């Protein structure tokens, strides 16, 4: 114990030991202040996490102390906005593609259901009763299509029976022909009506009646399909419009107007006209891309999109940068590191290049200032 005490006393007299104690004592004295600072910083971080993206960059800009730091935050803001717009568009595109696939599959299934159920409804002997017992999960619009198709099949069968037994075309078929100038004036209808009204050979009237029946049935089916396609197109156009209204613009408001900004600015009669033309585009092509369909509609309305080229250029530039970045990552990964390490290394290299560029810019500004000062005051006596 005595030996240990002597060693401890000698150590106390050493300058390095005394300095260490002094530092420890100072740190202990500062501990309450440090704890408060850490608590303040933690509170600040917690508050930062609740801010919107713009508020976060406003906060960072308020903390910047030099023009270089302010410029860095501003560049970060622009990059974040572009990344956010890209991510939002990618998400919207993915949803639209999934919606299109689902809608196409749904329509195919509905068509199969209508074909099968309408025939079963006729064969059941009571169309309305058959439709009433269908699953409540089947939409009313599909049930109505089944009813229309079943009634058409039944009418056609009854007409075929009358023609087969009496060689007579039902009156409702004759009325349908006469009320449709386009149909009754066709070469086929004229020829069959001539044979029906003035048969020259046995069987001419019956054959003409069956042919006229087929013409009317085909026109009825075309009309029903057109009605259903209009309803379908209207549904697709509504979804496309909502997609376009949620898109982020590729250009800044002070630069120009691209497709999203123009569509989002439509109102009144222009909006009604745009919806109508969008529906027509989807009648022609039910799987049309919403941006292409919207551009076609705007072209028909003679509304220009002056920012279209700038937006396309931005997308092209961004794609090229992403391709270059991916190529650089793959090159780094070829050296045996994983993707995360490759991305970190690429970010480090990019930061170095950015820093070097800032230093070069700062040096250039200082050189200009020095030259201006020398012109005004003459050479510095310190050289």
């Amino acid at each position: 114990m005595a030996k240990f005490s002597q060693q401890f006393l000698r150590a106390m007299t050493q300058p390095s030991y005394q300095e260490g104690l002094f530092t420890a004592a100072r740190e202990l004295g500062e501990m309450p202040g440090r704890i408060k600072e850490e608590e303040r910083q933690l509170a600040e971080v917690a508050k930062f996490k609740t801010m919107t993206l713009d508020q976060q960059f406003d906060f960072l800009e308020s903390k910047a102390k030099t023009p270089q730091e302010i410029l860095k935050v501003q560049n970060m803001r622009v990059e974040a906005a572009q990344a956010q717009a890209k991510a939002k568009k990618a998400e919207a595109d993915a949803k639209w593609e999934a919606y299109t696939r689902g809608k196409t599959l749904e329509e195919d299934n509905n068509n199969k259901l209508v074909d099968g159920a309408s025939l079963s409804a006729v064969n059941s002997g009571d169309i309305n009763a058959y439709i009433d017992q269908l699953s409540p999960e089947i939409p009313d619009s599909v049930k109505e299509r089944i009813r229309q198709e079943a009634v058409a099949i039944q009418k056609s069968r009854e007409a075929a029976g009358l023609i087969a037994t009496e060689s007579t075309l039902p009156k409702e078929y004759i009325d349908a022909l006469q009320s449709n100038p386009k149909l009754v004036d066709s070469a086929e209808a004229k020829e069959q009506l001539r044979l029906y009204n003035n048969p020259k050979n046995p069987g001419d009237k019956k054959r003409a009646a069956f042919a006229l029946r087929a013409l009317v049935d085909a026109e009825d089916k075309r009309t029903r399909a057109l009605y259903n396609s209009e309803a379908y197109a209207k549904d697709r156009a509504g979804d496309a419009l909502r997609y376009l209204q949620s898109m982020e613009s590729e250009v800044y408001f002070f630069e120009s107007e691209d497709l999203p900004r123009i569509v989002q600015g439509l109102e009144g009669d222009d909006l009604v006209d745009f919806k109508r033309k969008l529906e027509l585009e989807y009648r022609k092509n039910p799987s049309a891309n919403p941006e292409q369909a919207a551009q076609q509609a705007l072209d028909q309305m003679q509304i220009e999109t002056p920012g279209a080229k700038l937006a396309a250029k931005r997308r092209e530039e961004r794609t090229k940068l992403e391709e270059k970045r991916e190529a650089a990552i793959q090159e780094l990964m070829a050296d045996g590191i994983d993707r995360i390490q490759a991305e970190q290394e690429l970010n480090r290299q990019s930061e170095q290049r950015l820093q070097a560029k800032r230093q070069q810019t700062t040096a250039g500004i200082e050189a200009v200032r020095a030259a201006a000062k020398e012109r005004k005051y003459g050479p510095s006596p310190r050289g």
Side-chain angles (χ1 to χ4, degrees), residues 116-155:
S118 58
L119 191 58
S120 297
V122 175
N123 293 337
S124 72
D126 190 333
I127 292 174
N128 291 329
Y130 179 88
I131 293 174
D132 288 342
Q133 58 83 38
L134 288 174
S135 170
E137 294 180 0
I138 298 176
D140 290 342
S141 59
V142 176
K143 290 179 179 178
E144 176 59 21
R145 286 175 59 188
I146 293 171
R147 189 193 66 77
Q148 290 176 4
E149 197 66 27
V151 169
I153 293 171
Q154 188 176 58
K155 183 184 76 170

Side-chain angles (χ1 to χ4, degrees), residues 157-184:
R157 284 184 178 182
E158 291 172 354
L162 185 63
I163 293 169
T165 57
E166 301 181 20
S167 298
T168 302
L169 188 66
K171 184 177 182 302
E172 61 181 317
Y173 273 79
I174 295 173
D175 292 342
L177 279 167
Q178 293 175 343
S179 63
N180 189 333
K182 184 178 179 181
L183 183 60
V184 78

Side-chain angles (χ1 to χ4, degrees), residues 232 236 279-289 292-293:
Y232 182 65
R236 296 301 305 272
E279 288 172 19
L280 291 174
E281 290 299 319
Y282 277 99
R283 279 177 60 186
K284 290 188 289 185
N285 180 11
S287 61
N289 176 283
Q292 294 173 348

Side-chain angles (χ1 to χ4, degrees), residues 201-220:
N201 301 304
D204 279 355
K205 186 174 182 178
K206 182 180 288 187
R207 283 192 294 272
F210 273 117
L212 291 169
R213 163 183 167 267
L215 285 174
V216 173
D217 285 347
E219 177 62 16
D220 283 349

Side-chain angles (χ1 to χ4, degrees), residues 8 133 310 327:
F8 179 75
Q133 58 83 38
L310 179 58

